[in-house]
C-alpha cells in the first residue's frame, strides 16, 4: 500500500532543507508526497521540479467526521510548571485548529506529515489538526541550540530554546545525533518519540571535502587559488539579539560592536577577502545594511546571496569566523576548516565547540588578530567524536534512515488502527 507523505514548508530555506528527503521519497516506490507551503510557493519552489500546494483551509469544508483523538502531552521530567501551562493552552489551540484546518487536511488524506520547520502559526494549525485526526507528525529540524550551555539554568544542562514548545507540538522528533536525543530526553521528551537518523545535509560530505569541489567553489565566486578567504557564515545576530537576548547578544548596539571587532581585525589583512553569507531568515531585514555601514575603507568584502549553497560557501574558504551556536559551525568543522569563535567580553554562554577545543574563542580585536594570523585546524580525534555525537555517522545514509523511520511509523499506526477496528 502506498504511503502518502505531506511535506511542510514554512520559510524560503525549507525547500533546500527538505530536498534530500523529497528526493529519497521520490526514489522509493512505497511513497508519494505532496508539498504544502504556508508562504509564497512560487518563490519557495524555485529550482525544485515539484509544485507546492498553498495552505488554504478557508476553501475547504469542515471535516465530516469528528476528531479521532485529542492532543495528549507527555508529563515533563523538568520545567513541569511551564509544560502544564503550555499543555493546557495547546489543548484549546488544537480544538480550534481542527475546526479550521481539519477539512482541508482530511481532503488531502496523508498517512504522515514531515517537515524540518519551526512551529510558526500556520504550521501549528496543520500539525495540531493532524494530531486531532490521528495523523502522525514528524519534525526533523536541527535543534542546534543544544550546543549552548545554559548558565541561566543550572550551568550544566544544554539549553534547547524553542524545542520545549516543539516537544508538545509534534508526535515525533528526528534527531541528528545521540547527544541531541539525550538533551531532548532531559527536557521532557519520552525516548520512544525520538529517533536518531543523522543529518541529511551531510550525506554528500565526501564530495564536499574533495579538491574538485573546492576548486569549483572558488571558481563560482571568482576567487583565485592564491587569495586567502575568511568566511563569515550567516547566523542572524540581529534576530537572536531581539528574540533571545538572555542567551545571545542582548542589543543591536552589541551586534554592531561584534561586527566592528571583526571588520577592524580583517582590515589588517589587505590580501584577504571576507566572504559574507547572511542567514535567509534576515533576507528582508537590516543585518546586511548594518554590516555595510560598519565596514571600514580598504576591507575587501563580498556579500553573497543569502540562499547560496552553504557547502560551496564554506568550501571556498580557508578559515571561518562565526558567533558560536550556529549550524554553520558543523559545516565548517565537517570540512576541517579552522573555526574562530568571536564573542563579546561580557558574554557568559558556554559553547561546546569552544569547551571541547574545536574552536578558539576571541573576545577582543587583539585576540581575533592572533587567531587570524595563525589559525589551527580542529584536532582530528575530538572532532570526529564531536561530529558523531551531534550530527550522527557521516555515512551518506541519514536521509535513508529518516525515510525508513517514516515508513515504520505509518506501519505501526496502521497496525494499531487495524487491531482497534477488529476489537
Amino acid at each position: 500500500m502506498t504511503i502518502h507523505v505531506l511535506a511542510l514548508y514554512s520559510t524560503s530555506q525549507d525547500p533546500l532543507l527538505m530536498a534530500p528527503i523529497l528526493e529519497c521519497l521520490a526514489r522509493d516506490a512505497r511513497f508519494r508526497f505532496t508539498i504544502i507551503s504556508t508562504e509564497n510557493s512560487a518563490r519557495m519552489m524555485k529550482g525544485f521540479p515539484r509544485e507546492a500546494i498553498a495552505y488554504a483551509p478557508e476553501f475547504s469544508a469542515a471535516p465530516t467526521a469528528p476528531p479521532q483523538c485529542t492532543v495528549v502531552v507527555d508529563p515533563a521530567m523538568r520545567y513541569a510548571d511551564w509544560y502544564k501551562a503550555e499543555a493546557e493552552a495547546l489543548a484549546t489551540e488544537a480544538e480550534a485548529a481542527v475546526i479550521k484546518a481539519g477539512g482541508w487536511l482530511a481532503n488531502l488524506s496523508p498517512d504522515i506529515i514531515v517537515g524540518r520547520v519551526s512551529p510558526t502559526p500556520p504550521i501549528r494549525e496543520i500539525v495540531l489538526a493532524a494530531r486531532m485526526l490521528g495523523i502522525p507528525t514528524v519534525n526533523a529540524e536541527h535543534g542546534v541550540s543544544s550546543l549552548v550551555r545554559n548558565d541561566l539554568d543550572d550551568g550544566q544542562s544544554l539549553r534547547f530554546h524553542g524545542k520545549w514548545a516543539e516537544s508538545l507540538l509534534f508526535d515525533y522528533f528526528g534527531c541528528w545525533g545521540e547527544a541531541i536525543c539525550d538533551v531532548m530526553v532531559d527536557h521532557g521528551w519520552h525516548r520512544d518519540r525520538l529517533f536518531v537518523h543523522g543529518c541529511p545535509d551531510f550525506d554528500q560530505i565526501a564530495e564536499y571535502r574533495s579538491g574538485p569541489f573546492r576548486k569549483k567553489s572558488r571558481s563560482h565566486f571568482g576567487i583565485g587559488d592564491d587569495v586567502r578567504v575568511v568566511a563569515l557564515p550567516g547566523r542572524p545576530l540581529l534576530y537572536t539579539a531581539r528574540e533571545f537576548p538572555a542567551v545571545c547578544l542582548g542589543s543591536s548596539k552589541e551586534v554592531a560592536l561584534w561586527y566592528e571587532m571583526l571588520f577592524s581585525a580583517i582590515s589588517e589583512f589587505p590580501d584577504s577577502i571576507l566572504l559574507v553569507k547572511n542567514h535567509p531568515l534576515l533576507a528582508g531585514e537590516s543585518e546586511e545594511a548594518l554590516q555595510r555601514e560598519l565596514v571600514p575603507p580598504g576591507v575587501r568584502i563580498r556579500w553573497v546571496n543569502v540562499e547560496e549553497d552553504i557547502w560551496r560557501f564554506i568550501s571556498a574558504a580557508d578559515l571561518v569566523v562565526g558567533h558560536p551556536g550556529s549550524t554553520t559551525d558543523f559545516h565548517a568543522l565537517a570540512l576541517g576548516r579552522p573555526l574562530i569563535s568571536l564573542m563579546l567580553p561580557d558574554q557568559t554562554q558556554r559553547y561546546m565547540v569552544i569547551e571541547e577545543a574545536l574552536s578558539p574563542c576571541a573576545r577582543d580585536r587583539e585576540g581575533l588578530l592572533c587567531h587570524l594570523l595563525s589559525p589551527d585546524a580542529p584536532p582530528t580525534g575530538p572532532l570526529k567524536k564531536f561530529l558523531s555525537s551531534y550530527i550522527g555517522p557521516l555515512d551518506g545514509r541519514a536521509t535513508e534512515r529518516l525515510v525508513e523511520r517514516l515508513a515504520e511509523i505509518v506501519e505501526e499506526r496502521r497496525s494499531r488502527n487495524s487491531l482497534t477496528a477488529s476489537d
Side-chain angles (χ1 to χ4, degrees), residues 36-58:
I36 300 301
S37 169
T38 60
E39 296 291 337
N40 185 316
S41 59
R43 176 173 177 265
M44 293 179 67
M45 294 310 298
K46 182 179 179 181
F48 194 81
R50 292 289 187 103
E51 292 185 357
I53 297 175
Y55 173 54
E58 62 271 19

Side-chain angles (χ1 to χ4, degrees), residues 392-406:
L394 300 180
D395 58 2
R397 298 190 59 251
T399 310
E400 293 177 15
R401 282 189 289 270
L402 171 57
V403 168
E404 191 59 41
R405 184 61 184 132
L406 297 181

Side-chain angles (χ1 to χ4, degrees), residues 30 68 113 137 151 174 197 240 261 278 285 322 361 385 404:
R30 294 175 297 175
Q68 297 180 19
I113 295 177
T137 59
D151 290 333
H197 55 83
T240 49
M261 289 167 53
N278 282 307
E285 296 196 29
C361 178
K385 180 180 179 182
E404 191 59 41

